Amino acid sequence: MAGSKLVLEGRISIISFVSGLGVIVIPLLVNFGSHIDWIFDYLTDVNGKIAIAVYITVINGFLLILYKGPLYKVAVRACFLGFTFGCGLTLSFADTTWTHFGWYMCSLSFFHYSEYLVTAIINPRSLSLDSFLLNHSVEYTVAAVFSWVEFTVEKLLVPEIKQLNWLCGVGLFMVFCGESLRKAAMLTAGSNFNHIVQNEKARSHVLVTSGVYALFRHPSYVGWFYWSIGTQIILCNPVCILGYTVASWRFFRERIEEEEISLILFFGEDYIEYKKKVFTGLPFISGIRINS
């Protein structure tokens, strides 16, 4: 049953993501062979907006015909993320001052889509719409919107601070490393990984200490922590760089303490010994304290 769910929903998400990604073809078809610096202007003028609206309408129509109920909900989310990734890719290669925002769009959309796809691969039994993490929390949504507002306001008032290419490159590197580490952690943990902290031990639940777990006790959190900060460094958002660092640190400190209580209950001395040998991976976070 779980295997068939993986094949069906995983395949639907891939097809839908690629369908949304197809938005990059629109400007290419209109002006094939021209220099790429016209793309951004095209996508923001009236004709470009009409073309994108028609494209979205047509794709959504096909998804409605092909999939019903829960499957449509999976398809439309994956398509939206593919569309966002495609727009970000277009901006990334355009001769425009919005290039770095294109990097950000690609980073954000790929993160959320890959969370769903990797979950479908490693733990299809826990797969749900929440696996996209699009509705992670109200705080997460507010933080994302605030980062867009900060970027836009600062770009209008002090545009020069948004063109620090070396800093944006550092942010992109952090995003790439953080994303890679998180996905490596998910794949290594396999069916033991879950987006929700588990309070009851499943029969298949084992203590994973190999691979990236030999380097950090919580590699998925380490990856997400540096990925989130990296997205704001890409945008050169000074306020959000500080805000994301503090908020992410506090969130993962509480999350790790909560999770380690369950892990100690699940694995007892085995986890305590592992905890003594391996660092959490996050600065100034040691996890739950154990009395000697």
Side-chain angles (χ1 to χ4, degrees):
M1 184 71 176
S4 61
K5 184 177 184 179
L6 160 62
V7 173
L8 180 59
E9 296 193 14
R11 183 178 61 187
I12 289 172
S13 72
I14 293 172
I15 293 173
S16 301
F17 183 86
V18 173
S19 297
L21 180 61
V23 70
I24 63 176
V25 176
I26 296 175
L28 297 178
L29 291 177
V30 173
N31 204 343
F32 181 77
S34 296
H35 193 268
I36 204 150
D37 60 4
W38 54 267
I39 290 181
F40 180 74
D41 291 335
Y42 174 76
L43 290 179
T44 54
D45 68 14
V46 175
N47 291 333
K49 291 177 181 178
I50 292 175
I52 290 176
V54 170
Y55 179 82
I56 293 175
T57 301
V58 171
I59 292 298
N60 190 60
F62 276 119
L63 294 179
L64 277 170
I65 294 172
L66 292 173
Y67 309 117
K68 303 296 181 183
L71 295 182
Y72 171 73
K73 293 179 180 179
V74 171
V76 77
R77 284 164 175 75
C79 183
F80 166 74
L81 292 171
F83 172 79
T84 304
F85 187 89
C87 290
L89 203 61
T90 300
L91 288 178
S92 297
F93 287 97
D95 184 13
T96 171
T97 57
W98 290 82
T99 297
H100 299 142
F101 195 81
W103 295 3
Y104 167 81
M105 291 174 67
C106 289
S107 302
L108 188 66
S109 55
F110 183 80
F111 171 81
H112 285 287
Y113 174 70
S114 61
E115 286 291 305
Y116 183 89
L117 184 62
V118 174
T119 301
I121 294 171
I122 63 171
N123 194 3
R125 292 183 183 278
S126 69
L127 190 65
S128 69
L129 288 176
D130 291 339
S131 299
F132 282 110
L133 296 185
L134 289 170
N135 57 338
H136 179 268
S137 65
V138 173
E139 293 80 4
Y140 181 83
T141 302
V142 170
V145 172
F146 188 85
S147 73
W148 306 337
V149 172
E150 181 185 354
F151 179 84
T152 303
V153 171
E154 291 173 353
K155 192 175 187 309
L156 292 173
L157 299 179
V158 279
E160 59 274 8
I161 73 169
K162 299 302 181 183
Q163 299 305 313
L164 300 175
N165 293 331
W166 66 270
L167 185 60
C168 296
V170 170
L172 187 63
F173 179 75
M174 288 178 63
V175 162
F176 177 79
C177 291
E179 176 78 10
S180 298
L181 178 60
R182 179 168 173 82
K183 295 309 181 288
M186 293 174 69
L187 291 169
T188 301
S191 61
N192 295 285
F193 184 90
N194 199 301
H195 285 118
I196 302 173
V197 175
Q198 301 297 290
N199 296 316
E200 295 184 7
K201 182 181 178 182
R203 291 183 179 180
S204 60
H205 205 170
V206 298
L207 178 61
V208 181
T209 59
S210 60
V212 291
Y213 285 86
L215 301 175
F216 310 117
R217 289 208 309 274
H218 301 278
S220 66
Y221 295 160
V222 176
W224 196 351
F225 177 76
Y226 287 107
W227 172 88
S228 66
I229 298 172
T231 61
Q232 298 312 300
I233 294 178
I234 286 177
L235 297 177
C236 296
N237 280 350
V239 176
C240 279
I241 290 173
L242 177 61
Y244 272 53
T245 301
V246 173
S248 296
W249 186 88
R250 293 182 63 182
F251 172 80
F252 287 121
R253 182 192 61 182
E254 296 175 1
R255 178 93 171 203
I256 285 173
E257 290 181 355
E258 177 188 356
E259 185 171 308
E260 289 196 340
I261 292 174
S262 296
L263 290 170
I264 291 172
L265 291 175
F266 292 170
F267 304 111
E269 285 298 323
D270 289 340
Y271 187 79
I272 293 175
E273 287 302 311
Y274 171 62
K275 175 178 166 62
K276 292 178 181 178
K277 297 176 182 177
V278 182
F279 173 51
T280 62
L282 292 169
F284 308 109
I285 297 179
S286 58
I288 192 72
R289 298 191 179 201
I290 303 174
N291 296 326
S292 301

